Every structure is written in structure tokens, then in C-alpha cells.
Amino acid sequence: NEALQSLSSSEVILGINVVSQALISLTKSAIDAKEQLENAQQEAAKYVSEAQKQQAEILREAAKMKTQIIEEAKEAANRIGYPVVLRPAFTLGGTGGGFAYNDEELMEIGVNAFNLSPVHQVLIEKSVKGYKEIEFEVMRDSNDHAITICGMENIDPVGVHTGDSCVVAPIMTLSKEDEKMLNDSAIKLIKELKIEGGCNVQFALNPHTSEYY
């Protein structure tokens, strides 16, 4: 109190202004951070919602009529292209699922899959079993500068659980063209999602065609 009383009115006003400006600056920073988070969530939601639409479409088709379940699953598999993964809905640990490389295998796995699913739904997906599993650690700052920290490669292909495999860095077996293609895609993703900080991007790469997911 004595220290405050010793200050002149102009010094008190100056101090109040400094504190006010600091509070305004902190409030603006908090608002900006909240807006950045919301924008990133909205960008990510675009991809999530699109993926959900595609999956929902397959699930709706597979559950149209119980008498046509297998035939519709076969049509979906032929439209997607073999090999495919069958994923029964709401089964513990993926029970009843499997890989099908042709119509005969799909029929065999599909009958059991539909019977085990309590809602009689089976998701048909493109199989990437045997593809190379590639990862990139990338970072981006608030000025949209992005860099690659490192690229990594799983020794075993997709289909072997990551926990049962090993990862090496740097990438050892990709061509320079494929490595650059995936690296560029990782940078585009972190920029599109406007992530500030680090991000791990994982790819499944067809070793024969350079097609990737």
C-alpha cells in the first residue's frame, strides 16, 4: 500500500495500461489457439466423414436383404478388386473375418462372417496385405514451414502385426522416386490438416505398382 501511495497518478495509469495490454495479448493468443484447433478439427473431419460415408455405403449394401447378403458381398469385392478383407461388424477381436483372393474364398469366409455378426453386416475392404509399411515423422510450425524428421520402414510387410516386427530408419529398400512420393504426401497431409508440432504419417505401398494408401 505504501509503495502504491508513493506512485504518481500518471505512473499508476501507465501500470494499469501495461497490465491491460498484457491481458489483451494473452486473451488474443488463447482465442487464436482455440481457432487453430477448431480449424484443424474441421479439416480432419472432412477426411473422417468421407471415409465414414464410404464405409456406411458398403455396410448398407451388405445388409439390404438377408437372402442376397453373399451375392452383394461378392459384387462389392469384384467392384473393389481382389484381394479383399472381410470384417464382420461387432465381433470380438475381428472373429469371423479374413482375406479372400477370389469368389470361392469370399463365399466360404462370408457365410461364417455374416452368421457371426450380431447385426449381419460385413465390411468389404481392399486388402493391402503384403504391401510395404512406411512411416514418416514430420513437423510443421505456425508459419506453415514443414520438415521431415526421418523416414522409417517396417522390416515385415503389412499383415504382420507391428508389435511382432521391427522398424528401421532410414528407409532401406524404396526407390528414390517412391520415397520422395510418400515424403511429399506426408508433408501435404500435415499442411492440409494445419497441425502445429509433430505428426506420424503411415503408408501402405504396393511394391510392384507404387500404388499407396
Side-chain angles (χ1 to χ4, degrees):
N1 291 337
E2 292 180 358
L4 287 174
Q5 290 175 357
S6 65
L7 295 174
S8 66
S9 58
S10 60
E11 289 174 329
V12 171
I13 294 173
L14 178 60
I16 292 173
N17 286 336
V18 170
V19 173
S20 299
Q21 289 297 322
L23 290 173
I24 292 171
S25 178
L26 286 172
T27 303
K28 185 178 184 302
S29 297
I31 293 172
D32 289 343
K34 182 175 182 295
E35 289 178 348
Q36 288 176 356
L37 176 61
E38 290 175 347
N39 289 336
Q41 290 172 337
Q42 290 172 0
E43 291 295 329
K46 292 179 183 178
Y47 296 95
V48 173
S49 60
E50 184 60 31
Q52 288 175 335
K53 287 178 184 177
Q54 293 174 356
Q55 291 185 356
E57 180 182 354
I58 295 173
L59 289 174
R60 283 196 300 270
E61 290 179 1
K64 275 181 182 176
M65 295 179 63
K66 292 182 181 180
T67 56
Q68 298 179 0
I69 292 173
I70 293 297
E71 289 304 318
E72 289 181 357
K74 188 193 295 184
E75 290 175 8
N78 281 280
R79 185 172 63 251
I80 294 169
Y82 286 106
V84 295
V85 185
L86 287 77
R87 302 185 189 277
F90 302 106
T91 62
L92 183 63
T95 301
F99 297 92
Y101 291 83
N102 51 52
D103 286 349
E104 291 72 24
E105 291 182 359
L106 182 134
M107 295 286 286
E108 181 181 349
I109 299 171
V111 169
N112 187 48
F114 281 111
N115 287 336
L116 290 175
S117 171
V119 294
H120 304 292
Q121 292 179 347
V122 175
L123 177 65
I124 310 296
E125 288 184 314
K126 176 69 176 176
S127 170
V128 294
K129 185 178 182 180
Y131 283 27
K132 288 180 178 291
E133 191 170 349
I134 307 297
E135 304 178 32
F136 286 92
E137 292 289 345
V138 291
M139 295 189 72
R140 174 183 171 274
D141 65 15
S142 58
N143 293 319
D144 203 34
H145 299 134
I147 60 171
T148 300
I149 304 302
C150 71
M152 296 171 286
E153 178 178 4
N154 285 260
I155 292 177
D156 295 297
V158 176
V160 177
H161 193 282
T162 305
D164 297 325
S165 185
C166 294
V167 178
V168 295
I171 294 169
M172 306 293 289
T173 67
L174 292 192
S175 67
K176 294 297 182 183
E177 292 77 15
D178 282 347
E179 185 172 350
K180 184 178 186 306
M181 173 182 68
L182 297 181
N183 190 13
D184 290 347
S185 295
I187 293 294
K188 288 177 183 177
L189 281 169
I190 194 173
K191 285 193 169 190
E192 183 67 28
L193 295 175
K194 296 179 173 58
I195 295 172
E196 293 185 15
C199 177
N200 176 267
V201 184
Q202 302 179 358
F203 297 102
L205 174 75
N206 187 324
H208 305 296
T209 65
S210 296
E211 176 188 26
Y212 67 94
Y213 295 90

